[in-house]
mmCIF file of all heavy atoms in Angstrom:
data_model
loop_
_atom_site.group_PDB
_atom_site.id
_atom_site.type_symbol
_atom_site.label_atom_id
_atom_site.label_comp_id
_atom_site.label_asym_id
_atom_site.label_seq_id
_atom_site.Cartn_x
_atom_site.Cartn_y
_atom_site.Cartn_z
ATOM 1 N N THR B 20 228.554 63.822 171.191
ATOM 2 C CA THR B 20 227.725 64.679 170.329
ATOM 3 C C THR B 20 227.401 63.939 169.037
ATOM 4 O O THR B 20 228.284 63.430 168.377
ATOM 5 C CB THR B 20 228.406 66.004 170.034
ATOM 6 O OG1 THR B 20 228.590 66.722 171.266
ATOM 7 C CG2 THR B 20 227.545 66.843 169.100
ATOM 8 N N LEU B 21 226.117 63.883 168.746
ATOM 9 C CA LEU B 21 225.609 63.291 167.507
ATOM 10 C C LEU B 21 225.237 64.424 166.563
ATOM 11 O O LEU B 21 224.529 65.352 166.975
ATOM 12 C CB LEU B 21 224.423 62.387 167.763
ATOM 13 C CG LEU B 21 224.598 61.338 168.868
ATOM 14 C CD1 LEU B 21 223.350 60.469 168.975
ATOM 15 C CD2 LEU B 21 225.836 60.489 168.639
ATOM 16 N N ALA B 22 225.675 64.303 165.315
ATOM 17 C CA ALA B 22 225.436 65.381 164.349
ATOM 18 C C ALA B 22 224.223 65.074 163.487
ATOM 19 O O ALA B 22 223.925 63.916 163.160
ATOM 20 C CB ALA B 22 226.653 65.573 163.472
ATOM 21 N N CYS B 23 223.513 66.154 163.124
ATOM 22 C CA CYS B 23 222.383 66.079 162.195
ATOM 23 C C CYS B 23 222.436 67.293 161.283
ATOM 24 O O CYS B 23 222.471 68.440 161.768
ATOM 25 C CB CYS B 23 221.067 66.046 162.956
ATOM 26 S SG CYS B 23 219.613 66.082 161.873
ATOM 27 N N HIS B 24 222.432 67.053 159.983
ATOM 28 C CA HIS B 24 222.539 68.117 159.001
ATOM 29 C C HIS B 24 221.477 67.931 157.928
ATOM 30 O O HIS B 24 221.371 66.816 157.359
ATOM 31 C CB HIS B 24 223.924 68.093 158.355
ATOM 32 C CG HIS B 24 224.152 69.139 157.305
ATOM 33 N ND1 HIS B 24 224.471 70.437 157.613
ATOM 34 C CD2 HIS B 24 224.085 69.070 155.953
ATOM 35 C CE1 HIS B 24 224.610 71.127 156.495
ATOM 36 N NE2 HIS B 24 224.385 70.335 155.478
ATOM 37 N N GLN B 25 220.685 68.974 157.664
ATOM 38 C CA GLN B 25 219.649 68.871 156.640
ATOM 39 C C GLN B 25 219.804 69.976 155.614
ATOM 40 O O GLN B 25 220.181 71.108 155.938
ATOM 41 C CB GLN B 25 218.241 68.860 157.265
ATOM 42 C CG GLN B 25 217.930 70.036 158.177
ATOM 43 C CD GLN B 25 217.141 71.160 157.547
ATOM 44 O OE1 GLN B 25 216.747 71.095 156.378
ATOM 45 N NE2 GLN B 25 216.868 72.213 158.326
ATOM 46 N N THR B 26 219.505 69.604 154.361
ATOM 47 C CA THR B 26 219.600 70.579 153.261
ATOM 48 C C THR B 26 218.222 70.898 152.703
ATOM 49 O O THR B 26 218.119 71.416 151.572
ATOM 50 C CB THR B 26 220.539 70.058 152.175
ATOM 51 O OG1 THR B 26 220.029 68.802 151.689
ATOM 52 C CG2 THR B 26 221.953 69.868 152.681
ATOM 53 N N TRP B 27 217.165 70.598 153.446
ATOM 54 C CA TRP B 27 215.795 70.933 153.031
ATOM 55 C C TRP B 27 215.482 72.390 153.298
ATOM 56 O O TRP B 27 214.449 72.891 152.850
ATOM 57 C CB TRP B 27 214.795 70.078 153.800
ATOM 58 C CG TRP B 27 214.813 68.621 153.466
ATOM 59 C CD1 TRP B 27 215.448 67.630 154.163
ATOM 60 C CD2 TRP B 27 214.154 67.969 152.378
ATOM 61 N NE1 TRP B 27 215.227 66.408 153.581
ATOM 62 C CE2 TRP B 27 214.443 66.610 152.468
ATOM 63 C CE3 TRP B 27 213.363 68.434 151.323
ATOM 64 C CZ2 TRP B 27 213.959 65.671 151.547
ATOM 65 C CZ3 TRP B 27 212.887 67.509 150.412
ATOM 66 C CH2 TRP B 27 213.191 66.158 150.546
ATOM 67 N N ASN B 28 216.296 73.068 154.095
ATOM 68 C CA ASN B 28 216.016 74.426 154.540
ATOM 69 C C ASN B 28 214.763 74.478 155.424
ATOM 70 O O ASN B 28 214.020 75.462 155.411
ATOM 71 C CB ASN B 28 215.848 75.392 153.345
ATOM 72 C CG ASN B 28 216.037 76.843 153.771
ATOM 73 O OD1 ASN B 28 216.846 77.156 154.644
ATOM 74 N ND2 ASN B 28 215.285 77.759 153.138
ATOM 75 N N HIS B 29 214.533 73.398 156.158
ATOM 76 C CA HIS B 29 213.403 73.321 157.075
ATOM 77 C C HIS B 29 213.692 74.096 158.352
ATOM 78 O O HIS B 29 214.804 74.016 158.901
ATOM 79 C CB HIS B 29 213.089 71.873 157.437
ATOM 80 C CG HIS B 29 212.435 71.120 156.326
ATOM 81 N ND1 HIS B 29 212.453 69.738 156.266
ATOM 82 C CD2 HIS B 29 211.721 71.526 155.252
ATOM 83 C CE1 HIS B 29 211.775 69.339 155.218
ATOM 84 N NE2 HIS B 29 211.329 70.411 154.574
ATOM 85 N N ASN B 30 212.698 74.780 158.859
ATOM 86 C CA ASN B 30 212.853 75.463 160.156
ATOM 87 C C ASN B 30 212.820 74.482 161.316
ATOM 88 O O ASN B 30 213.450 74.701 162.340
ATOM 89 C CB ASN B 30 211.752 76.503 160.349
ATOM 90 C CG ASN B 30 212.018 77.764 159.545
ATOM 91 O OD1 ASN B 30 213.161 78.157 159.353
ATOM 92 N ND2 ASN B 30 210.965 78.383 159.054
ATOM 93 N N ASN B 31 212.039 73.406 161.170
ATOM 94 C CA ASN B 31 211.797 72.509 162.289
ATOM 95 C C ASN B 31 212.678 71.287 162.242
ATOM 96 O O ASN B 31 212.782 70.618 161.203
ATOM 97 C CB ASN B 31 210.335 72.056 162.302
ATOM 98 C CG ASN B 31 209.398 73.235 162.337
ATOM 99 O OD1 ASN B 31 209.648 74.217 163.010
ATOM 100 N ND2 ASN B 31 208.308 73.146 161.592
ATOM 101 N N MET B 32 213.310 70.977 163.379
ATOM 102 C CA MET B 32 214.163 69.800 163.484
ATOM 103 C C MET B 32 213.885 69.109 164.812
ATOM 104 O O MET B 32 213.567 69.765 165.807
ATOM 105 C CB MET B 32 215.648 70.169 163.368
ATOM 106 C CG MET B 32 216.013 70.748 162.010
ATOM 107 S SD MET B 32 217.759 71.082 161.804
ATOM 108 C CE MET B 32 218.458 69.417 161.677
ATOM 109 N N PHE B 33 214.015 67.788 164.802
ATOM 110 C CA PHE B 33 213.623 66.959 165.952
ATOM 111 C C PHE B 33 214.651 65.871 166.185
ATOM 112 O O PHE B 33 215.241 65.343 165.249
ATOM 113 C CB PHE B 33 212.270 66.286 165.662
ATOM 114 C CG PHE B 33 211.201 67.221 165.214
ATOM 115 C CD1 PHE B 33 211.057 67.536 163.859
ATOM 116 C CD2 PHE B 33 210.315 67.773 166.111
ATOM 117 C CE1 PHE B 33 210.059 68.411 163.439
ATOM 118 C CE2 PHE B 33 209.309 68.645 165.687
ATOM 119 C CZ PHE B 33 209.185 68.952 164.342
ATOM 120 N N TRP B 34 214.830 65.508 167.455
ATOM 121 C CA TRP B 34 215.627 64.335 167.806
ATOM 122 C C TRP B 34 214.741 63.350 168.551
ATOM 123 O O TRP B 34 214.024 63.716 169.482
ATOM 124 C CB TRP B 34 216.797 64.704 168.719
ATOM 125 C CG TRP B 34 218.022 65.119 167.985
ATOM 126 C CD1 TRP B 34 218.501 66.384 167.810
ATOM 127 C CD2 TRP B 34 218.959 64.249 167.337
ATOM 128 N NE1 TRP B 34 219.667 66.348 167.082
ATOM 129 C CE2 TRP B 34 219.976 65.064 166.770
ATOM 130 C CE3 TRP B 34 219.027 62.863 167.156
ATOM 131 C CZ2 TRP B 34 221.050 64.546 166.076
ATOM 132 C CZ3 TRP B 34 220.080 62.335 166.446
ATOM 133 C CH2 TRP B 34 221.094 63.175 165.923
ATOM 134 N N TYR B 35 214.799 62.079 168.089
ATOM 135 C CA TYR B 35 214.082 60.980 168.730
ATOM 136 C C TYR B 35 215.049 59.892 169.095
ATOM 137 O O TYR B 35 216.094 59.736 168.478
ATOM 138 C CB TYR B 35 213.053 60.367 167.756
ATOM 139 C CG TYR B 35 211.930 61.261 167.326
ATOM 140 C CD1 TYR B 35 212.068 62.096 166.208
ATOM 141 C CD2 TYR B 35 210.716 61.272 168.003
ATOM 142 C CE1 TYR B 35 211.021 62.897 165.790
ATOM 143 C CE2 TYR B 35 209.666 62.081 167.593
ATOM 144 C CZ TYR B 35 209.823 62.896 166.485
ATOM 145 O OH TYR B 35 208.792 63.693 166.071
ATOM 146 N N ARG B 36 214.666 59.102 170.090
ATOM 147 C CA ARG B 36 215.340 57.849 170.316
ATOM 148 C C ARG B 36 214.330 56.725 170.131
ATOM 149 O O ARG B 36 213.139 56.894 170.387
ATOM 150 C CB ARG B 36 215.974 57.775 171.709
ATOM 151 C CG ARG B 36 215.038 57.923 172.887
ATOM 152 C CD ARG B 36 215.797 57.784 174.222
ATOM 153 N NE ARG B 36 216.238 56.411 174.452
ATOM 154 C CZ ARG B 36 216.982 56.027 175.489
ATOM 155 N NH1 ARG B 36 217.386 56.924 176.396
ATOM 156 N NH2 ARG B 36 217.345 54.771 175.638
ATOM 157 N N GLN B 37 214.835 55.589 169.608
ATOM 158 C CA GLN B 37 213.958 54.469 169.316
ATOM 159 C C GLN B 37 214.469 53.249 170.069
ATOM 160 O O GLN B 37 215.607 52.808 169.858
ATOM 161 C CB GLN B 37 213.889 54.171 167.818
ATOM 162 C CG GLN B 37 212.861 53.130 167.444
ATOM 163 C CD GLN B 37 212.691 52.998 165.934
ATOM 164 O OE1 GLN B 37 213.671 53.048 165.197
ATOM 165 N NE2 GLN B 37 211.453 52.856 165.498
ATOM 166 N N ASP B 38 213.644 52.692 170.898
ATOM 167 C CA ASP B 38 213.976 51.522 171.707
ATOM 168 C C ASP B 38 212.852 50.506 171.578
ATOM 169 O O ASP B 38 211.686 50.877 171.487
ATOM 170 C CB ASP B 38 214.131 51.916 173.182
ATOM 171 C CG ASP B 38 215.144 53.016 173.401
ATOM 172 O OD1 ASP B 38 216.331 52.720 173.323
ATOM 173 O OD2 ASP B 38 214.721 54.175 173.601
ATOM 174 N N LEU B 39 213.231 49.220 171.635
ATOM 175 C CA LEU B 39 212.228 48.163 171.580
ATOM 176 C C LEU B 39 211.234 48.344 172.709
ATOM 177 O O LEU B 39 211.595 48.547 173.861
ATOM 178 C CB LEU B 39 212.905 46.806 171.710
ATOM 179 C CG LEU B 39 213.483 46.227 170.421
ATOM 180 C CD1 LEU B 39 214.218 44.926 170.692
ATOM 181 C CD2 LEU B 39 212.385 46.001 169.385
ATOM 182 N N GLY B 40 209.967 48.281 172.377
ATOM 183 C CA GLY B 40 208.919 48.401 173.375
ATOM 184 C C GLY B 40 208.503 49.820 173.692
ATOM 185 O O GLY B 40 207.526 50.037 174.405
ATOM 186 N N HIS B 41 209.254 50.803 173.167
ATOM 187 C CA HIS B 41 208.944 52.191 173.442
ATOM 188 C C HIS B 41 208.646 53.011 172.195
ATOM 189 O O HIS B 41 208.117 54.120 172.277
ATOM 190 C CB HIS B 41 210.080 52.858 174.206
ATOM 191 C CG HIS B 41 210.237 52.366 175.605
ATOM 192 N ND1 HIS B 41 209.442 52.770 176.650
ATOM 193 C CD2 HIS B 41 211.098 51.459 176.127
ATOM 194 C CE1 HIS B 41 209.812 52.146 177.768
ATOM 195 N NE2 HIS B 41 210.808 51.346 177.467
ATOM 196 N N GLY B 42 208.992 52.519 171.051
ATOM 197 C CA GLY B 42 208.762 53.279 169.832
ATOM 198 C C GLY B 42 209.678 54.495 169.739
ATOM 199 O O GLY B 42 210.749 54.533 170.346
ATOM 200 N N LEU B 43 209.217 55.502 169.016
ATOM 201 C CA LEU B 43 209.958 56.751 168.861
ATOM 202 C C LEU B 43 209.577 57.730 169.968
ATOM 203 O O LEU B 43 208.413 58.085 170.114
ATOM 204 C CB LEU B 43 209.637 57.383 167.508
ATOM 205 C CG LEU B 43 210.348 56.827 166.271
ATOM 206 C CD1 LEU B 43 209.691 57.371 165.009
ATOM 207 C CD2 LEU B 43 211.817 57.172 166.309
ATOM 208 N N ARG B 44 210.562 58.158 170.724
ATOM 209 C CA ARG B 44 210.283 59.121 171.797
ATOM 210 C C ARG B 44 211.054 60.417 171.531
ATOM 211 O O ARG B 44 212.243 60.392 171.222
ATOM 212 C CB ARG B 44 210.669 58.528 173.153
ATOM 213 C CG ARG B 44 209.777 57.379 173.587
ATOM 214 C CD ARG B 44 210.134 56.893 174.983
ATOM 215 N NE ARG B 44 211.408 56.202 175.002
ATOM 216 C CZ ARG B 44 211.993 55.747 176.119
ATOM 217 N NH1 ARG B 44 211.420 55.933 177.308
ATOM 218 N NH2 ARG B 44 213.142 55.112 176.041
ATOM 219 N N LEU B 45 210.369 61.513 171.678
ATOM 220 C CA LEU B 45 210.921 62.826 171.371
ATOM 221 C C LEU B 45 211.866 63.288 172.469
ATOM 222 O O LEU B 45 211.484 63.328 173.652
ATOM 223 C CB LEU B 45 209.777 63.828 171.165
ATOM 224 C CG LEU B 45 210.128 65.219 170.725
ATOM 225 C CD1 LEU B 45 210.797 65.206 169.334
ATOM 226 C CD2 LEU B 45 208.891 66.113 170.721
ATOM 227 N N ILE B 46 213.063 63.698 172.089
ATOM 228 C CA ILE B 46 214.075 64.158 173.048
ATOM 229 C C ILE B 46 214.086 65.676 173.135
ATOM 230 O O ILE B 46 213.875 66.264 174.190
ATOM 231 C CB ILE B 46 215.461 63.642 172.660
ATOM 232 C CG1 ILE B 46 215.483 62.128 172.503
ATOM 233 C CG2 ILE B 46 216.497 64.072 173.720
ATOM 234 C CD1 ILE B 46 216.778 61.584 171.928
ATOM 235 N N HIS B 47 214.389 66.319 172.014
ATOM 236 C CA HIS B 47 214.399 67.781 171.909
ATOM 237 C C HIS B 47 213.942 68.153 170.517
ATOM 238 O O HIS B 47 214.028 67.338 169.591
ATOM 239 C CB HIS B 47 215.794 68.332 172.132
ATOM 240 C CG HIS B 47 216.248 68.431 173.548
ATOM 241 N ND1 HIS B 47 215.769 69.365 174.437
ATOM 242 C CD2 HIS B 47 217.175 67.699 174.219
ATOM 243 C CE1 HIS B 47 216.380 69.189 175.613
ATOM 244 N NE2 HIS B 47 217.223 68.202 175.504
ATOM 245 N N TYR B 48 213.494 69.392 170.381
ATOM 246 C CA TYR B 48 213.138 69.888 169.055
ATOM 247 C C TYR B 48 213.375 71.371 168.967
ATOM 248 O O TYR B 48 213.488 72.071 169.982
ATOM 249 C CB TYR B 48 211.712 69.508 168.678
ATOM 250 C CG TYR B 48 210.630 70.027 169.595
ATOM 251 C CD1 TYR B 48 209.861 71.121 169.277
ATOM 252 C CD2 TYR B 48 210.343 69.338 170.791
ATOM 253 C CE1 TYR B 48 208.846 71.550 170.106
ATOM 254 C CE2 TYR B 48 209.333 69.764 171.637
ATOM 255 C CZ TYR B 48 208.592 70.871 171.293
ATOM 256 O OH TYR B 48 207.584 71.298 172.133
ATOM 257 N N SER B 49 213.419 71.852 167.730
ATOM 258 C CA SER B 49 213.731 73.256 167.470
ATOM 259 C C SER B 49 212.866 73.763 166.323
ATOM 260 O O SER B 49 212.699 73.074 165.309
ATOM 261 C CB SER B 49 215.213 73.411 167.111
ATOM 262 O OG SER B 49 215.478 74.707 166.609
ATOM 263 N N TYR B 50 212.303 74.956 166.481
ATOM 264 C CA TYR B 50 211.473 75.539 165.434
ATOM 265 C C TYR B 50 212.217 76.614 164.655
ATOM 266 O O TYR B 50 211.609 77.291 163.817
ATOM 267 C CB TYR B 50 210.199 76.106 166.029
ATOM 268 C CG TYR B 50 209.224 75.060 166.494
ATOM 269 C CD1 TYR B 50 208.316 75.324 167.521
ATOM 270 C CD2 TYR B 50 209.176 73.808 165.911
ATOM 271 C CE1 TYR B 50 207.406 74.389 167.955
ATOM 272 C CE2 TYR B 50 208.260 72.834 166.340
ATOM 273 C CZ TYR B 50 207.401 73.143 167.358
ATOM 274 O OH TYR B 50 206.495 72.201 167.803
ATOM 275 N N GLY B 51 213.490 76.811 164.933
ATOM 276 C CA GLY B 51 214.240 77.792 164.196
ATOM 277 C C GLY B 51 215.538 78.104 164.907
ATOM 278 O O GLY B 51 215.804 77.600 166.035
ATOM 279 N N VAL B 52 216.345 78.935 164.287
ATOM 280 C CA VAL B 52 217.658 79.275 164.851
ATOM 281 C C VAL B 52 217.472 79.865 166.256
ATOM 282 O O VAL B 52 216.611 80.713 166.471
ATOM 283 C CB VAL B 52 218.384 80.254 163.915
ATOM 284 C CG1 VAL B 52 219.704 80.689 164.535
ATOM 285 C CG2 VAL B 52 218.622 79.623 162.568
ATOM 286 N N HIS B 53 218.266 79.366 167.162
ATOM 287 C CA HIS B 53 218.313 79.778 168.572
ATOM 288 C C HIS B 53 217.086 79.325 169.357
ATOM 289 O O HIS B 53 216.959 79.665 170.538
ATOM 290 C CB HIS B 53 218.500 81.291 168.715
ATOM 291 C CG HIS B 53 219.736 81.806 168.052
ATOM 292 N ND1 HIS B 53 220.994 81.239 168.248
ATOM 293 C CD2 HIS B 53 219.933 82.825 167.171
ATOM 294 C CE1 HIS B 53 221.866 81.866 167.518
ATOM 295 N NE2 HIS B 53 221.269 82.836 166.861
ATOM 296 N N ASP B 54 216.185 78.555 168.751
ATOM 297 C CA ASP B 54 215.031 78.015 169.469
ATOM 298 C C ASP B 54 215.248 76.546 169.812
ATOM 299 O O ASP B 54 215.625 75.776 168.926
ATOM 300 C CB ASP B 54 213.771 78.149 168.614
ATOM 301 C CG ASP B 54 212.569 77.495 169.289
ATOM 302 O OD1 ASP B 54 212.062 78.086 170.266
ATOM 303 O OD2 ASP B 54 212.145 76.393 168.858
ATOM 304 N N THR B 55 215.053 76.155 171.073
ATOM 305 C CA THR B 55 215.113 74.749 171.447
ATOM 306 C C THR B 55 214.023 74.483 172.476
ATOM 307 O O THR B 55 213.647 75.354 173.272
ATOM 308 C CB THR B 55 216.478 74.354 172.058
ATOM 309 O OG1 THR B 55 216.705 75.110 173.236
ATOM 310 C CG2 THR B 55 217.608 74.562 171.070
ATOM 311 N N ASN B 56 213.485 73.244 172.426
ATOM 312 C CA ASN B 56 212.402 72.850 173.323
ATOM 313 C C ASN B 56 212.631 71.418 173.797
ATOM 314 O O ASN B 56 213.158 70.592 173.041
ATOM 315 C CB ASN B 56 211.067 72.899 172.590
ATOM 316 C CG ASN B 56 210.799 74.253 171.985
ATOM 317 O OD1 ASN B 56 210.357 75.166 172.654
ATOM 318 N ND2 ASN B 56 211.098 74.387 170.697
ATOM 319 N N LYS B 57 212.196 71.140 175.023
ATOM 320 C CA LYS B 57 212.352 69.791 175.587
ATOM 321 C C LYS B 57 211.203 68.907 175.146
ATOM 322 O O LYS B 57 210.053 69.333 175.103
ATOM 323 C CB LYS B 57 212.389 69.860 177.124
ATOM 324 C CG LYS B 57 213.599 70.572 177.661
ATOM 325 C CD LYS B 57 213.599 70.543 179.188
ATOM 326 C CE LYS B 57 214.845 71.231 179.732
ATOM 327 N NZ LYS B 57 214.863 71.214 181.218
ATOM 328 N N GLY B 58 211.562 67.655 174.842
ATOM 329 C CA GLY B 58 210.548 66.644 174.559
ATOM 330 C C GLY B 58 210.287 65.803 175.800
ATOM 331 O O GLY B 58 210.625 66.196 176.914
ATOM 332 N N GLU B 59 209.706 64.633 175.587
ATOM 333 C CA GLU B 59 209.276 63.802 176.724
ATOM 334 C C GLU B 59 210.420 63.116 177.466
ATOM 335 O O GLU B 59 210.284 62.720 178.612
ATOM 336 C CB GLU B 59 208.250 62.766 176.258
ATOM 337 C CG GLU B 59 208.801 61.780 175.266
ATOM 338 C CD GLU B 59 207.767 60.712 174.883
ATOM 339 O OE1 GLU B 59 207.325 59.970 175.771
ATOM 340 O OE2 GLU B 59 207.453 60.620 173.684
ATOM 341 N N VAL B 60 211.608 62.963 176.811
ATOM 342 C CA VAL B 60 212.717 62.259 177.446
ATOM 343 C C VAL B 60 213.986 63.073 177.315
ATOM 344 O O VAL B 60 215.021 62.609 176.831
ATOM 345 C CB VAL B 60 212.889 60.854 176.854
ATOM 346 C CG1 VAL B 60 211.760 59.936 177.252
ATOM 347 C CG2 VAL B 60 213.040 60.879 175.357
ATOM 348 N N SER B 61 213.960 64.329 177.771
ATOM 349 C CA SER B 61 215.075 65.252 177.545
ATOM 350 C C SER B 61 216.209 65.174 178.588
ATOM 351 O O SER B 61 217.296 65.695 178.357
ATOM 352 C CB SER B 61 214.539 66.681 177.486
ATOM 353 O OG SER B 61 213.904 67.019 178.733
ATOM 354 N N ASP B 62 215.947 64.547 179.741
ATOM 355 C CA ASP B 62 216.953 64.532 180.802
ATOM 356 C C ASP B 62 218.237 63.870 180.316
ATOM 357 O O ASP B 62 218.230 62.769 179.799
ATOM 358 C CB ASP B 62 216.421 63.772 182.033
ATOM 359 C CG ASP B 62 215.412 64.574 182.796
ATOM 360 O OD1 ASP B 62 215.254 65.764 182.484
ATOM 361 O OD2 ASP B 62 214.755 64.001 183.697
ATOM 362 N N GLY B 63 219.372 64.585 180.525
ATOM 363 C CA GLY B 63 220.667 64.041 180.145
ATOM 364 C C GLY B 63 221.090 64.398 178.730
ATOM 365 O O GLY B 63 222.187 64.033 178.299
ATOM 366 N N TYR B 64 220.217 65.136 178.010
ATOM 367 C CA TYR B 64 220.504 65.529 176.644
ATOM 368 C C TYR B 64 220.383 67.048 176.492
ATOM 369 O O TYR B 64 219.613 67.690 177.210
ATOM 370 C CB TYR B 64 219.482 64.905 175.670
ATOM 371 C CG TYR B 64 219.377 63.417 175.666
ATOM 372 C CD1 TYR B 64 218.417 62.777 176.471
ATOM 373 C CD2 TYR B 64 220.206 62.641 174.870
ATOM 374 C CE1 TYR B 64 218.293 61.405 176.467
ATOM 375 C CE2 TYR B 64 220.081 61.263 174.850
ATOM 376 C CZ TYR B 64 219.111 60.660 175.650
ATOM 377 O OH TYR B 64 219.000 59.300 175.630
ATOM 378 N N SER B 65 221.114 67.593 175.529
ATOM 379 C CA SER B 65 220.948 69.011 175.198
ATOM 380 C C SER B 65 221.141 69.213 173.696
ATOM 381 O O SER B 65 221.765 68.368 173.024
ATOM 382 C CB SER B 65 221.955 69.872 175.963
ATOM 383 O OG SER B 65 223.292 69.552 175.596
ATOM 384 N N VAL B 66 220.580 70.302 173.191
ATOM 385 C CA VAL B 66 220.745 70.648 171.776
ATOM 386 C C VAL B 66 220.988 72.139 171.684
ATOM 387 O O VAL B 66 220.645 72.900 172.617
ATOM 388 C CB VAL B 66 219.506 70.292 170.921
ATOM 389 C CG1 VAL B 66 219.301 68.777 170.828
ATOM 390 C CG2 VAL B 66 218.263 70.975 171.447
ATOM 391 N N SER B 67 221.550 72.549 170.579
ATOM 392 C CA SER B 67 221.700 73.980 170.269
ATOM 393 C C SER B 67 221.467 74.163 168.779
ATOM 394 O O SER B 67 221.796 73.281 167.977
ATOM 395 C CB SER B 67 223.095 74.480 170.669
ATOM 396 O OG SER B 67 224.087 73.801 169.942
ATOM 397 N N ARG B 68 220.914 75.299 168.401
ATOM 398 C CA ARG B 68 220.615 75.562 166.989
ATOM 399 C C ARG B 68 221.216 76.907 166.606
ATOM 400 O O ARG B 68 220.663 77.960 166.847
ATOM 401 C CB ARG B 68 219.074 75.593 166.819
ATOM 402 C CG ARG B 68 218.621 75.683 165.351
ATOM 403 C CD ARG B 68 218.439 74.338 164.752
ATOM 404 N NE ARG B 68 218.010 74.363 163.365
ATOM 405 C CZ ARG B 68 216.738 74.372 162.978
ATOM 406 N NH1 ARG B 68 215.759 74.431 163.897
ATOM 407 N NH2 ARG B 68 216.420 74.372 161.701
ATOM 408 N N SER B 69 222.378 76.831 165.994
ATOM 409 C CA SER B 69 223.081 78.059 165.619
ATOM 410 C C SER B 69 222.857 78.428 164.156
ATOM 411 O O SER B 69 223.168 79.558 163.727
ATOM 412 C CB SER B 69 224.573 77.935 165.890
ATOM 413 O OG SER B 69 225.102 76.827 165.177
ATOM 414 N N ASN B 70 222.322 77.494 163.376
ATOM 415 C CA ASN B 70 221.989 77.762 161.972
ATOM 416 C C ASN B 70 220.794 76.895 161.581
ATOM 417 O O ASN B 70 220.342 76.041 162.361
ATOM 418 C CB ASN B 70 223.180 77.519 161.048
ATOM 419 C CG ASN B 70 223.693 76.106 161.137
ATOM 420 O OD1 ASN B 70 222.937 75.158 161.009
ATOM 421 N ND2 ASN B 70 224.996 75.953 161.346
#
Side-chain angles (χ1 to χ4, degrees):
Chain B
T20 297
L21 309 183
C23 175
H24 179 81
Q25 54 99 1
T26 58
W27 292 98
N28 200 34
H29 286 159
N30 283 326
N31 304 321
M32 296 184 72
F33 309 87
W34 273 103
Y35 296 88
R36 60 178 290 175
Q37 187 172 40
D38 305 284
L39 277 175
H41 291 280
L43 280 168
R44 291 184 290 176
L45 185 63
I46 304 171
H47 281 287
Y48 58 102
S49 169
Y50 289 152
V52 176
H53 302 311
D54 176 73
T55 61
N56 305 278
K57 293 182 178 181
E59 64 177 299
V60 290
S61 61
D62 286 350
Y64 303 94
S65 63
V66 293
S67 62
R68 187 90 180 270
S69 59
N70 58 52

